[in-house]
């Protein structure tokens, strides 16, 4: 059994399923992906996301404002705290820094990231971190002693081994998405090789980043399987070893078992 540690079920195009989420959950189950973490990106979408996943015990939730969201500039800290405090919420994020797509809001992103880290420490919930082209600032904020404690994960990791190593030293996990299956991702597969299996998670980040060989289709949690198969291939392990380890890591990190 496998867990999709990061997906956005509220952003999937459900029109092929007449708007129902059930077939997505069923597709995942058939592929051996029995649980998933649905990650919040905007407070304006929060209530809708929570209503969508409410019927499914196999889906956990994370509350946060994405660094590329317009909401970082005028962060509703009270609204965020209310969402984080929800007993169904197992993590804080996604949060972090994206200087690749949205360098113009870097200051607001840093302030919002700090707020998420403080809430994570206060509520003892791990953080889900999005980081792109912002290695130094991300690590500096994670190193701040007032912010740590509950751990977390650098999701959809695409940065260098040097950054992964520093994040691992700080106690963070590393999650890989379908990007590792892309033909041009040879250097990222080298990072996969080096990250210890007991600190690794797998994810789809659906509906984005569909893995090979399903490029062109909309991504769904069922394709976590292709990510885990790729990790197994790169590390010379069996699929079952990767599935078991990443599921155990997920449960330990989010205190779900
Ligand atoms: Zn992200
Ligand atoms: Zn995401």
């Amino acid at each position: 059994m496998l867990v999709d540690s990061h997906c956005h079920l509220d952003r999937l195009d459900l029109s092929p399923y007449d708007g129902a989420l059930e077939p997505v959950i069923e597709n995942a189950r058939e592929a051996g992906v029995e649980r998933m973490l649905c990650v919040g990106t905007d407070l304006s979408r929060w209530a809708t996301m929570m209503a969508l996943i409410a019927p499914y015990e196999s889906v956990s939730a994370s509350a946060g404002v994405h660094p590329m969201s317009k909401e970082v500039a005028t962060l509703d800290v009270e609204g965020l705290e209310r969402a984080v405090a929800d007993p169904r919420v197992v993590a804080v994020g996604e949060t972090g820094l994206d200087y690749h797509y949205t360098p113009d809001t870097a200051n607001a992103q840093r302030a919002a990231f700090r707020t998420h880290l403080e809430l994570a420490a206060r509520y003892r919930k791990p953080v889900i971190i999005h980081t792109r082209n912002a290695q130094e600032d991300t690590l500096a904020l994670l190193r701040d002693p007032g912010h740590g404690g509950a751990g977390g994960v650098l999701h959809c990791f695409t940065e260098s081994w040097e950054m992964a190593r520093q994040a691992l030293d700080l106690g963070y996990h590393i999650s890989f998405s379908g990007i590792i299956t892309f033909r041009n991702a040879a250097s990222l597969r080298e990072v996969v090789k080096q990250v210890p299996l007991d600190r690794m998670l797998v994810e789809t980040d659906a509906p984005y980043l569909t893995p090979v060989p399903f490029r062109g289709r909309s991504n769904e949690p069922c394709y976590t399987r292709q990510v885990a198969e790729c990790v197994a291939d790169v590390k010379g392990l069996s699929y079952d070893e990767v599935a078991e380890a990443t599921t155990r890591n997920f449960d330990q990190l989010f205190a779900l078992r």
Side-chain angles (χ1 to χ4, degrees):
M1 105 118 172
L2 204 54
V3 183
D4 183 353
S5 75
H6 189 117
C7 58
H8 302 283
L9 298 176
D10 60 318
R11 289 178 179 266
L12 298 179
D13 174 16
L14 297 176
S15 56
Y17 307 123
D18 293 327
L21 185 60
E22 181 71 38
V24 172
I25 307 285
E26 193 47 45
N27 289 345
R29 199 177 297 136
E30 275 169 24
V33 182
E34 303 215 7
R35 288 186 280 129
M36 52 204 84
L37 177 56
C38 184
V39 176
T41 56
D42 300 88
L43 292 172
S44 59
R45 305 170 67 97
W46 180 246
T48 312
M49 184 188 106
M50 291 303 269
L52 178 73
I53 65 172
Y56 303 102
E57 216 182 295
S58 57
V59 183
S60 332
S62 171
V65 174
H66 193 286
M68 287 162 65
S69 164
K70 285 191 181 67
E71 292 180 10
V72 290
T74 53
L75 187 66
D76 171 8
V77 179
E78 277 172 31
L80 178 62
E81 178 161 4
R82 263 197 307 278
V84 165
D86 188 311
R88 179 127 190 222
V89 168
V90 300
V92 179
E94 66 182 279
T95 180
L97 303 174
D98 194 313
Y99 294 173
H100 178 72
Y101 289 112
T102 46
D104 46 311
T105 58
N107 285 333
Q109 290 182 49
R110 280 192 294 275
F113 189 15
R114 213 171 278 127
T115 302
H116 282 79
L117 289 168
E118 282 161 8
L119 286 171
R122 193 172 332 141
Y123 285 87
R124 308 293 303 164
K125 295 182 182 183
V127 267
I128 306 219
I129 300 153
H130 171 112
T131 179
R132 193 170 290 146
N133 278 9
Q135 303 204 3
E136 257 174 55
D137 286 2
T138 301
L139 289 166
L141 278 159
L142 294 182
R143 262 191 213 107
D144 189 312
H147 293 151
V153 55
L154 274 63
H155 104 93
C156 193
F157 194 77
T158 53
E159 305 290 321
S160 64
W161 162 244
E162 185 47 33
M163 183 179 196
R165 192 187 60 71
Q166 292 186 55
L168 289 164
D169 284 350
L170 288 167
Y172 288 86
H173 287 61
I174 305 285
S175 179
F176 292 103
S177 70
I179 291 179
I180 65 168
T181 68
F182 294 1
R183 204 175 29 182
N184 61 4
S187 60
L188 186 58
R189 283 188 286 275
E190 288 303 312
V191 180
V192 173
K193 229 178 248 177
Q194 296 188 76
V195 171
L197 187 62
D198 65 356
R199 303 289 293 285
M200 189 187 287
L201 302 178
V202 284
E203 65 172 88
T204 58
D205 207 9
Y208 318 109
L209 305 168
T210 312
V212 172
F214 301 113
R215 302 291 301 142
R217 286 194 213 175
S218 178
N219 203 0
E220 284 190 20
C222 60
Y223 298 138
T224 314
R225 189 173 186 103
Q226 278 63 38
V227 180
E229 281 171 354
C230 181
V231 170
D233 191 42
V234 166
K235 283 179 125 22
L237 300 167
S238 71
Y239 169 80
D240 284 345
E241 282 173 291
V242 173
E244 247 168 60
T246 53
T247 299
R248 191 171 50 237
N249 299 342
F250 180 88
D251 287 340
Q252 280 170 354
L253 179 58
F254 299 110
L256 291 178
R257 288 288 185 282

